[in-house]
Amino acid sequence: MSDEEILLVYKSLRLPLLVLAIGYITYYVYKKRTKEEIERPAQRMLEED
């Protein structure tokens, strides 16, 4: 493969890979179970004050 072909493959896969990564991070953060795990320490800190 020439350098131009490698660059074309890289440029064509860059955006879809970024979208998949952002989608997975969003899914992981906003899952109900994970959201409760993230919010639990914040609620505990509020109760201690």
Side-chain angles (χ1 to χ4, degrees), residues 7-47:
L7 187 62
L8 182 64
V9 170
Y10 166 73
K11 285 185 175 184
S12 65
L13 292 177
R14 183 174 48 183
L15 184 61
L17 188 61
L18 179 65
V19 169
L20 286 174
I22 291 173
Y24 177 75
I25 292 168
T26 304
Y27 169 74
Y28 179 78
V29 168
Y30 287 104
K31 276 192 319 188
K32 184 165 179 59
R33 182 180 58 87
T34 306
K35 188 175 180 183
E36 290 172 358
E37 290 174 1
I38 291 171
E39 291 177 353
R40 193 177 307 132
Q43 295 297 328
R44 190 174 60 230
M45 285 189 292
L46 290 173
E47 291 171 359

